[in-house]
Amino acid sequence: MKKLLLLFSLVMTSTLVSAQEIILPLWEGTPPLQTDMGLEEKAIEEGIIRIENVQIPQIEVFLPSKQMRTGQAVVIFPGGGYGILAYDWEGRDFAKWLNTQGIVGIVVKYRLPNSKSLTDAKEVPLLDAQRAVRLVRHHAEEWKIDPAKVGVMGFSAGGHLASTVSTQYAHEVDRSKDAIDAISARPDFSILAYPVISFRDASAHSGSRKNLIGADASQELIDRFSSELNVTAETPPTFLVHAQDDGGVPIENSFLYYDALNANKVPASLHIYPKGGHGFGFGLGKGAVDGWRDVLIDWMEDLK
């Protein structure tokens, strides 16, 4: 029954918000740290939509009806090991579900570091993430969003990106800037689902690390992109969810980030389920993890 109700709500939401879906490019013209080589993006649908070789990064905005809006917005980074984007499974589907809770959902199609068109690949996902948060705040009045209630949500490698923008929101690269760059990129809260956090050997997800910083990265780069080492008292409140039997991203990643948050007295909520594996998404039909979204909504209510 619970599964049927969720599917019904997603169908209804898809119908109701179809006229309120907005797609915007993150950047005007050729994005920074990119050369126009005429490369083409590829989208493959095999059960889920997998997007490769993103050349024009964008946000896809899903707006609930104005009467329902809570003022909260969640900027969503799909996972995929920094090699692809699981765009609907860990993106659009969650944006539509958030709409049923009165929350604006924004899916980010961010550039992936394996594209040959990038001039400094390791910096590009974070740059796109910062821009997405800023762009949402730029449109906050238009979309009926409270600019102090803009959070991020990431899955697996998308969780790594969400944790990176949560800890390196002020990181700068040499590039031209515009008025939107003056807006804060710091998320007000973070939601991390089975996230990659550490690039250190004991807990690293080798595929994500290799794709983002290379197989022979220096210790300095490894530490910079190990988010547990970059938490401060200014890191936003965080919700973490992971399955104990995750065979893709070791559960220690969530432990490390939670411990760092706790040590810096940052409000944090860690939820571990015995089963669910990696990439459980909504958790439908996977036992107790099926209820993690209800716990999340309660946590978000406490943020208001």
Side-chain angles (χ1 to χ4, degrees):
M1 178 60 71
K2 188 175 182 180
K3 183 175 181 180
L4 288 174
L5 287 173
L6 174 62
L7 291 173
F8 176 75
S9 68
L10 288 175
V11 170
M12 290 301 295
T13 302
S14 179
T15 302
L16 290 170
V17 305
S18 59
Q20 300 183 72
E21 184 182 336
I22 301 164
I23 297 177
L24 292 176
L26 288 180
W27 311 94
E28 292 186 12
T30 302
L33 305 186
Q34 182 171 323
T35 302
D36 187 357
M37 299 176 63
L39 301 179
E40 294 186 2
E41 175 181 303
K42 181 186 292 185
I44 302 170
E45 186 168 2
E46 294 176 345
I48 65 172
I49 297 173
R50 302 172 188 269
I51 296 179
E52 303 174 1
N53 202 33
V54 175
Q55 298 299 301
I56 303 176
Q58 66 182 37
I59 55 173
E60 189 169 5
V61 184
F62 293 84
L63 300 173
S65 64
K66 291 180 180 179
Q67 295 87 340
M68 285 185 65
R69 287 180 216 177
T70 64
Q72 289 179 316
V74 177
V75 180
I76 306 169
F77 304 107
Y82 285 119
I84 61 102
L85 300 179
Y87 196 72
D88 54 349
W89 180 251
E90 296 172 344
R92 282 177 176 159
D93 290 350
F94 273 87
K96 294 173 184 178
W97 170 72
L98 287 167
N99 280 181
T100 68
Q101 311 299 317
I103 301 165
V104 176
I106 303 105
V107 186
V108 186
K109 186 193 290 185
Y110 56 93
R111 289 172 291 167
L112 298 161
N114 55 4
S115 175
K116 295 179 180 179
S117 63
L118 303 182
T119 59
D120 192 352
K122 70 181 185 303
E123 301 292 349
V124 166
L126 174 58
L127 191 60
D128 284 354
Q130 292 170 322
R131 182 69 171 193
V133 174
R134 290 175 171 137
L135 197 58
V136 170
R137 288 200 171 106
H138 177 70
H139 289 280
E141 183 176 358
E142 176 187 351
W143 297 339
K144 307 301 180 191
I145 293 169
D146 184 337
K149 295 182 179 180
V150 178
V152 293
M153 182 181 204
F155 301 81
S156 193
H160 182 266
L161 182 53
S163 71
T164 304
V165 75
S166 295
T167 53
Q168 299 188 48
Y169 48 84
H171 181 74
E172 300 268 357
V173 296
D174 185 20
R175 61 182 178 88
S176 61
K177 295 184 179 181
D178 59 20
I180 294 174
D181 289 307
I183 300 172
S184 173
R186 178 188 179 275
D188 295 301
F189 58 90
S190 303
I191 303 162
L192 309 180
Y194 38 91
V196 176
I197 293 293
S198 183
F199 279 179
R200 291 183 153 196
D201 289 338
S203 302
H205 181 252
S206 58
S208 296
R209 183 174 71 180
K210 181 179 178 181
N211 285 337
L212 185 63
I213 62 175
D216 300 316
S218 67
Q219 190 63 49
E220 181 181 3
L221 268 184
I222 290 170
D223 289 350
R224 183 191 151 199
F225 286 100
S226 293
S227 292
E228 79 277 13
L229 302 180
N230 298 294
V231 171
T232 70
E234 301 304 314
T235 302
T238 303
F239 179 101
L240 296 121
V241 61
H242 220 123
Q244 191 175 358
D245 65 348
D246 191 325
V249 175
I251 195 173
E252 285 78 13
N253 282 268
S254 286
F255 292 157
L256 287 167
Y257 199 65
Y258 177 82
D259 286 345
L261 293 165
N262 187 50
N264 283 275
K265 302 188 185 320
V266 177
S269 185
L270 172 62
H271 301 272
I272 304 299
Y273 293 87
K275 295 182 180 179
H278 187 67
F280 53 73
F282 281 107
L284 297 177
K286 292 185 177 291
V289 73
D290 191 339
W292 80 269
R293 289 162 290 108
D294 297 329
V295 182
L296 170 62
I297 292 301
D298 288 342
W299 181 81
M300 293 182 70
E301 283 285 339
D302 288 342
L303 293 175
K304 295 179 183 177

